Structure formats: C-alpha cells, structure tokens
Amino acid sequence: MTSARLCKALLVFGCLLISNFAVSQDANLLKRAQQGDPAAQSELGFIYATGEGVTQDYAEALRWILLAAEQGNADAQYNYGNMFANGFGVTQNFAEALLWYRKAAEQKHMLAQFNLGFMYDNAQSVQQDYAEAARWYRAAAEQGYAAAQNNLGYMFKYGLGVRQNYAEALRWLQLAATQAYPSAEFNLGAMYSNGTGVERDFVIAEKWYLLAAQRGHAAAQLSLADMLSSGVAGAQNKEQAARWYLAAAQQGDTEAQYKLGELYELGSGVPQNHELAFMWTHISAALANDTLRSRIVRNRDTIARHLSPEQLQHAQDLAQRCLDTGYVSCN
C-alpha cells in the first residue's frame, strides 16, 4: 500500500508573491512610492510584477521592489527573492533568492521562513542542512503556516534535523490538518495506516485519506483506492476504488494508472475493457521509473494478446490522446 509514504509541502515560488490589498486601493500610490514610502514602493512593484491594472513590467517591478527591500520592507525582500527564484525579469538565481529570503525571514516573515527552510531541506543553492531547515520550518509553523507545520511534522517523523519524535510529528501534522492542508491529512492517514506513533487504525486512516483525496491529493487518492480495493478498513468497494484510481491516474500517478489498467483487464469495479486496460498500462509504462517499468511492460504485453491489430492500434491512439490532452480525453 502506498500509504507508507509521507509528503512534504513543495515550494512553488510563483504562487507566493504577496500584496497589501489596502495599499493597492490608494489613489496616491505612485506619489507615495516616489516620496520613498517603502510600503507603497513594495505594492507598486507587486502591481507591475502581476500586471494588476497596468501592463506587466518586470523591470519596473524589480526597481520598485528593490527600493522597498533596501529600506528593510520584509514583504519586498520576500518578493524580491521570489523574482530571482522564478527568473521574473532576471536570470534565475537561487543564491540571490536565498539572500533576500533570509533578510525577510530574520524579520519573522512567515513565507520567507518557510522558503528558507525548504531551500536548506532540499539543498537549493546551499549545502543541505536539516537542522537549519527544521529551525526555519518551526519559525513559520509557530506562526500558523500549514505547509511549514506539515513539513516540520515530517522532520519529526523521520528525525531529520531534530530528534525523532512521533508525538511531535502527530502534533504538527494535526495542526496543519485542522487548516484543511491535504498533505498533512495524507500524512496522518499514513501514520494511522502503518501504526507509526499511534495504534494502527485503518478506519481512521481511511478518514484522513478521504479528506485529502477530496481535496485532490493524488497520493491520498491512490492510498484510499488501495484501502477500498482490499477492504482493509471494512467492506471492499471496487467501484469506489476504481473511481479514486482514476482520479489519481488523471494526475499522472503511474501506480494508479497501472492498477486502473488491472481493474479494466479483470472487469473489477469497471466493465471489462482490454483496450482501456492496455491504454492505462501503456501510459503507466511510459511514465514509470526503471524499477517498475519492466513489470508494467510485461503486464501490458499480456493484455495486448487479447487485442486484434486494429484494437491494439486504437488502444495506442487512445493512450496518446489521453497524454496529449493532459488526461482530459482518456476513453
């Protein structure tokens, strides 16, 4: 069962530019920025970066954000780091992003603290240092940032940069989960499914997986499908398992694609359909890592023996169309 995996929140620099909405409503914003007001400069830079009501202009964005950042405005320092992390108007430069994130993080800027922790966690332009990662995750987590709470819980679960402590892992994951953070919900499901730091309880595990799956978490959808398929938490439900395998498969999860192909091959939870069985197994084989590919290819080739040459060509065309449409047209 895939529930043994835990998920850390990923850093998506492009989604993290922030704005002070109240300032953006100020009719005198440009005048205030020209007079040296760092909050106005930061907001004006944000407006040029995002193209809110103006022609998007990264050069102007960088100019105004830097003016504010150099005056110590933490939002501007954070956004200036994001510009370098994304390569917006500049050559992508994670070292420069790290420098500005640190400036903002030292002013207790929650998102900068998280990004700084992530960079130490993943050796992004800096030597990997789990202790530093945990320190910055904790700083953001203590301010209530769900992604940081989730990642800190992960660190405690595995003893990365901190002493391994399942109780602390659960505490931080639960805090993130109360904010409806899907990775934390998935991670709690995994801990209950495996009896990690808690008494093993498949019913509770299924509850957490369902919450995360409903929010679109692919690994949770796969784990939930596995539980429904096996009936480990109650009665088997192959139809619901197929539904969740499909949801994960359409997000590119190769294991879900393979298992959905198996259901179509057997007619379990779905009408038997060897063309769709081949399609999903063929897609899975194309995307799987080297360890899994040989097993998947063997099964795909077994399915192919049930198909005429015309059916096989149609199944191959279906697989290509499915991939070309980003999993929108897959039947």
Side-chain angles (χ1 to χ4, degrees):
M1 200 180 289
T2 57
S3 57
R5 299 182 299 185
L6 285 186
C7 286
K8 282 192 287 186
L10 300 180
L11 181 63
V12 186
F13 296 106
C15 295
L16 295 177
L17 284 170
I18 61 172
S19 164
N20 182 336
F21 182 77
V23 175
S24 70
Q25 306 309 300
D26 189 341
N28 296 314
L29 182 63
L30 177 59
K31 180 179 179 180
R32 292 176 57 231
Q34 290 171 333
Q35 291 174 343
D37 182 332
Q41 292 170 338
S42 177
E43 180 63 18
L44 189 59
F46 174 89
I47 289 171
Y48 276 113
T50 58
E52 286 190 3
V54 297
T55 300
Q56 189 177 52
D57 187 332
Y58 286 139
E60 274 296 281
L62 285 160
R63 183 170 77 86
W64 286 111
I65 292 172
L66 179 58
L67 284 171
E70 287 178 334
Q71 291 193 70
N73 182 281
D75 286 346
Q77 291 168 342
Y78 169 74
N79 282 346
Y80 201 62
N82 278 338
M83 300 292 280
F84 278 97
N86 287 285
F88 291 158
V90 292
T91 301
Q92 190 175 51
N93 186 328
F94 287 120
E96 191 72 10
L98 183 80
L99 183 152
W100 288 101
Y101 285 149
R102 186 183 303 281
K103 289 178 184 290
E106 288 171 348
Q107 295 195 67
K108 304 188 187 312
H109 193 286
M110 182 178 70
L111 299 181
Q113 291 169 336
F114 175 78
N115 283 12
L116 193 57
F118 186 94
M119 294 181 86
Y120 275 109
D121 191 359
N122 294 276
Q124 212 158 30
S125 85
V126 68
Q127 186 173 346
Q128 191 171 55
D129 188 331
Y130 289 132
E132 272 296 283
R135 180 168 81 89
W136 288 111
Y137 283 153
R138 183 188 289 274
E142 288 175 345
Q143 295 194 65
Y145 191 45
Q149 291 169 340
N150 176 74
N151 285 13
L152 184 60
Y154 181 99
M155 305 291 272
F156 273 112
K157 197 276 181 183
Y158 285 106
L160 298 174
V162 293
R163 187 182 297 276
Q164 189 177 50
N165 187 322
Y166 292 143
E168 277 293 281
L170 285 163
R171 182 171 78 87
W172 286 109
L173 291 173
Q174 286 166 345
L175 285 170
T178 60
Q179 298 188 62
Y181 193 76
S183 288
E185 293 167 338
F186 168 77
N187 288 342
L188 285 170
M191 293 188 79
Y192 277 100
S193 179
N194 292 290
T196 305
V198 292
E199 185 176 348
R200 195 175 203 184
D201 191 321
F202 290 119
V203 173
I204 294 176
E206 186 177 71
K207 180 199 79 169
W208 285 115
Y209 284 148
L210 177 60
L211 286 170
Q214 289 171 334
R215 299 187 215 284
H217 194 285
Q221 292 167 343
L222 173 60
S223 295
L224 178 61
D226 283 341
M227 296 189 83
L228 292 165
S229 181
S230 66
V232 69
Q236 280 186 318
N237 190 327
K238 294 289 188 178
E239 290 78 13
Q240 283 298 307
R243 172 196 165 195
W244 289 112
Y245 281 137
L246 176 61
Q250 289 175 323
Q251 294 196 67
D253 189 295
T254 56
E255 187 174 349
Q257 292 164 347
Y258 174 70
K259 289 180 176 179
L260 184 60
E262 284 186 319
L263 293 185
Y264 275 111
E265 180 187 8
L266 299 170
S268 179
V270 291
Q272 188 176 49
N273 186 319
H274 286 106
E275 287 188 25
L276 289 178
F278 180 92
M279 181 197 78
W280 281 114
T281 311
H282 186 58
I283 291 171
S284 178
L287 302 177
N289 60 41
D290 293 338
T291 305
L292 297 175
R293 187 174 295 114
S294 59
R295 174 170 64 93
I296 296 170
V297 167
R298 283 197 302 272
N299 195 50
R300 180 199 65 187
D301 293 346
T302 299
I303 295 168
R305 288 196 280 271
H306 293 280
L307 302 174
S308 68
E310 294 77 14
Q311 290 173 321
L312 179 59
Q313 183 61 56
H314 183 239
Q316 291 171 334
D317 291 344
L318 283 175
Q320 191 60 54
R321 185 178 68 183
C322 182
L323 289 170
D324 289 347
T325 60
Y327 301 106
V328 171
S329 183
C330 297
N331 53 39

